[in-house]
Amino acid sequence: RDHPSLVKLLVVFTVSGGGLVASADAKSYDGMNIVNTHEANSKKKKVVVLGTGWAGTSFFRNLKNPTYDVQVLSPRNYFAFTPLLPSVTCGTVEARSVVEPIRRILRKKHLDIHYCEAECFKIDAQNQKVYCRSAQDTNLKGEEEFVVDYDYLVIAVGARVNTFNTPGVEEHCHFLKEVEDAQKIRRTVIDCFERASLPTLSNEERKKILQFVIVGGGPTGVEFAAELHDFVNEDIVKLYPQVKDLVKITLLEAGGHLLNMFDKRITTFAEEKFRRDGIDLRTGSMVVKVSDKEISTKAKSGEISSIPYGMVVWSTGIATRPIILDFMKQIGQANRRVLATDEWLRVEGCDNVYAMGDCATINQRKVMEDISAIFRKADKDNSGTLTVKEVQEVIYDICERYPQVELYLKNKHMSSIVDLLKESKGDVAKESIELDIEELKRALSEVDSQMKNLPATAQVAAQQGAYLADCFNRMEECEKNPEGPLRFRGEGRHRFRPFRYRHLGQFAPLGAEQTAAQLPGDWVSIGQSSQWLWYSVYASKQVSWRTRVLVVFDWTKRLVFGRDSSRI
Ligand code: FAD
């Protein structure tokens, strides 16, 4: 961006020992002042972290190496525990109980690590700089602009809501992505009940106001529908008895089923439970337009129908942020949907830039290219066939680099071969057997379709943040003693092991103290016992004792007194 007239003095936020200290290093760059938010004269490597969500926070919480000068930039000066946002929408949990100030987290770190409430609006990877402005949606109003340089950049800016360019969605729908969204929904829900209770309205008008529509049958949409249903049944019936029978909750899903990333048993249970609860579940309904009064859907048959509504919550997934799209254009990734990294979370084509969480994905096509290259390297005589010993080497190599492949091979028909080869530990009993390389390749191409992109979840983001922090913590140590797999393009080993995702399971709260849990090993549990497991896991996953106590207190308060329906 061109700012020729920008000569105003830029405020420099360099937090040192809890106070604000002006940095001396400010000079002109492209008509814009460069402000070095890092410690003046620091010889330390400068690390800039963009984002204070799951990935960014996990990164700096796990960072221990004091040899970096770290600058955290984010328009959000707190970490939000997003899995509890649906509970905030109806007052089951208070908004302030699910957030932790970033400065509180950083205070405990005793490292050179500073926070600045600003958003990055441009990444210049060639000159190793990020362009920032003070946060726009806050009192700072985005008026202060500055440039920060880096040696390493960690991009963890998450994603934005995906509206699929559906007309009217931006203007008329609520989203459930940020804490502010959850607070807005909470106020609007109460608003609807108060408006519907006015004496001047007809029952038809009341019904329209009390028609809640949720778009998207994924975990967030389903959990919000369940929360709203509980709120109506447990609290609203007592507080607004005159309108309680006029409430209708409609859940629209374009696909054939709810929760399609869960086990079939969970999907079926959720759909049956919602139908029993009187939630109007409409699968195969795609929203085509939203006006200020009604929402229009198209059924699979092509039939268009409209539902007048009081409130719509749009929860249909995520899309790439504009700053990432712009960065992708710069680095030749314009043809991709999401920023691609390698298995070490390095952005492809930029060695000192890392990306993780919802804003990035590990490039799986490259993974398959790598696997083919491993085969070619092993097949030294170019015969197209490998001996058992060669196959063993290939499998070791692949499994070390790509744990997903190992898991898949274990579960599928190749398992016996893998076991045989693994157990033989180099002492191959059946040396004479030759396996057709094509057969193995066919099995691995099946892996390709299995190795879908990692899900955009807090679990993935947090594990990636912790992994990257561990790499930064042991940067020098692993430089001397690399611990990664052998390089097949070049000599020696990779410095670090690649990122391994460990799936710990997933929950889908379905209301009325019933939760579905899908744990590793396809272990499925639905009911009250899973609800207690959910309480325990979410309490234990809080980032501080302060939020843990607050959340448990809110749950208890709700059990004893019900939810607070004040519209404040
Ligand atoms: P985020 O957590 O979104 O953080 C992005 C950060 O970047 C924010 O601090 C933001 O302010 C900052 N930022 C944005 N733009 C800029 C910029 N230009 N410059 C600098 N900083 C910027 N996952 C689960 O695993 N389990 C669940 O139960 C679950 N429930 C969810 C419920 C809801 C309602 C939602 C919305 C999500 C849920 N998720 C859940 C998904 C999970 O929250 C995301 O996958 C996770 O937040 C991704 O982490 P992230 O760090 O990539 O992005």
Side-chain angles (χ1 to χ4, degrees), residues 49-57 73-86 118-122 132 156-159 176-178 219-220 223 315 318 321 323 356-360 455-462 464 501 505-507 509 534 538:
V49 183
L50 301 179
T52 49
W54 278 94
T57 304
L73 295 159
S74 171
R76 217 168 67 187
N77 80 345
Y78 56 85
F79 165 80
F81 192 89
T82 48
L84 286 181
L85 285 186
E119 68 177 318
C120 168
F121 61 86
K122 188 172 180 63
C132 307
V157 296
L176 184 43
K177 182 86 179 65
E178 307 289 342
T220 302
E223 193 176 341
S315 169
I318 53 171
R321 286 194 190 277
I323 180 195
M356 53 187 182
D358 285 2
C359 69
T457 62
Q459 229 183 108
V460 172
Q464 289 183 330
Y501 171 58
Q506 51 190 350
F507 289 107
W534 183 88
Y538 281 14

Side-chain angles (χ1 to χ4, degrees), residues 25-26 32 34 140 159 187 192-193 218 232-233 257 289 306 325 406 426 442 490 495 546:
D25 186 9
M32 189 174 177
I34 292 188
L140 305 176
R187 276 195 297 271
C192 289
F193 281 99
V232 171
N233 276 308
H257 292 283
K289 193 176 145 207
S306 294
L325 291 172
E406 183 176 6
R442 257 198 306 281
R495 204 174 343 171
R546 191 188 68 89

Side-chain angles (χ1 to χ4, degrees), residues 419-438:
D419 289 346
L420 174 80
L421 294 170
K422 284 206 151 175
E423 280 160 21
S424 68
K425 294 213 168 71
D427 178 19
V428 184
K430 300 185 181 175
E431 190 88 59
S432 56
I433 306 173
E434 286 208 340
L435 291 171
D436 189 4
I437 186 171
E438 288 309 321

Side-chain angles (χ1 to χ4, degrees), residues 20 22 156 251 297 309 337 365 403 493 525:
L20 283 174
L251 179 53
T297 61
Y309 67 84
R337 222 169 33 87
R365 210 183 55 206
R493 307 189 84 86
S525 159

Side-chain angles (χ1 to χ4, degrees), residues 204-483:
E204 268 323 294
E205 285 166 318
R206 290 193 175 111
K207 270 187 187 166
K208 202 187 113 187
I209 294 170
L210 295 178
Q211 165 74 71
F212 298 96
V213 181
I214 298 142
V215 185
T220 302
V222 165
E223 193 176 341
F224 172 63
E227 272 286 342
L228 188 59
H229 180 261
D230 280 1
F231 183 38
V232 171
N233 276 308
E234 292 166 14
D235 300 283
I236 292 293
V237 281
K238 297 176 205 153
L239 303 171
Y240 301 86
Q242 69 281 21
V243 295
K244 68 178 178 11
D245 296 328
L246 307 177
V247 182
K248 189 166 175 194
I249 302 172
T250 299
L251 179 53
L252 303 174
E253 161 60 43
H257 292 283
L258 297 183
L259 299 174
N260 57 19
M261 67 297 291
F262 280 80
D263 188 280
K264 187 92 190 55
R265 285 166 285 179
I266 293 180
T267 301
T268 311
F269 181 88
E271 288 175 358
E272 281 170 4
K273 179 176 185 304
F274 275 13
R275 289 203 170 102
R276 270 198 316 274
D277 287 347
I279 294 177
D280 174 24
L281 176 59
R282 302 193 192 175
T283 51
S285 293
M286 183 149 77
V287 175
V288 286
K289 193 176 145 207
V290 185
S291 73
D292 59 343
K293 293 196 174 62
E294 49 186 36
I295 177 164
S296 310
T297 61
K298 188 175 173 187
K300 286 238 162 73
S301 59
E303 189 195 337
I304 305 266
S305 52
S306 294
I307 311 167
Y309 67 84
M311 183 176 95
V312 181
V313 173
W314 184 273
S315 169
T316 58
I318 53 171
T320 307
R321 286 194 190 277
I323 180 195
I324 298 293
L325 291 172
D326 174 69
F327 178 52
M328 287 164 69
K329 265 191 218 151
Q330 280 179 53
I331 60 170
Q333 289 197 18
N335 57 341
R336 298 189 62 94
R337 222 169 33 87
V338 191
L339 184 62
T341 70
D342 63 16
E343 321 82 81
W344 288 270
L345 310 185
R346 289 175 306 204
V347 172
E348 281 183 8
C350 307
D351 262 357
N352 51 358
V353 182
Y354 299 82
M356 53 187 182
D358 285 2
C359 69
T361 183
I362 296 175
N363 187 353
Q364 298 293 8
R365 210 183 55 206
K366 197 175 146 288
V367 171
M368 282 319 287
E369 282 168 17
D370 283 359
I371 290 174
S372 301
I374 292 172
F375 270 107
R376 280 197 300 279
K377 192 172 170 184
D379 183 19
K380 293 185 187 87
D381 58 2
N382 245 342
S383 64
T385 58
L386 297 179
T387 63
V388 170
K389 202 168 166 53
E390 285 166 342
V391 171
Q392 185 187 30
E393 275 167 20
V394 167
I395 290 181
Y396 274 150
D397 211 351
I398 293 174
C399 292
E400 193 162 2
R401 293 169 61 88
Y402 303 111
Q404 312 93 307
V405 178
E406 183 176 6
L407 271 180
Y408 178 79
L409 290 179
K410 270 190 189 149
N411 292 336
K412 293 279 172 176
H413 53 277
M414 298 299 290
S415 62
S416 55
I417 302 173
V418 176
D419 289 346
L420 174 80
L421 294 170
K422 284 206 151 175
E423 280 160 21
S424 68
K425 294 213 168 71
D427 178 19
V428 184
K430 300 185 181 175
E431 190 88 59
S432 56
I433 306 173
E434 286 208 340
L435 291 171
D436 189 4
I437 186 171
E438 288 309 321
E439 191 189 324
L440 203 51
K441 271 193 176 171
R442 257 198 306 281
L444 284 164
S445 70
E446 263 184 62
V447 176
D448 192 24
S449 57
Q450 297 287 318
M451 288 199 308
K452 295 199 188 92
N453 292 337
L454 288 176
T457 62
Q459 229 183 108
V460 172
Q463 288 183 28
Q464 289 183 330
Y467 162 83
L468 196 60
D470 188 49
C471 294
F472 273 70
N473 289 340
R474 297 181 310 118
M475 193 77 93
E476 295 90 42
E477 187 187 322
C478 290
E479 188 74 66
K480 287 183 208 129
N481 302 309
E483 59 169 30

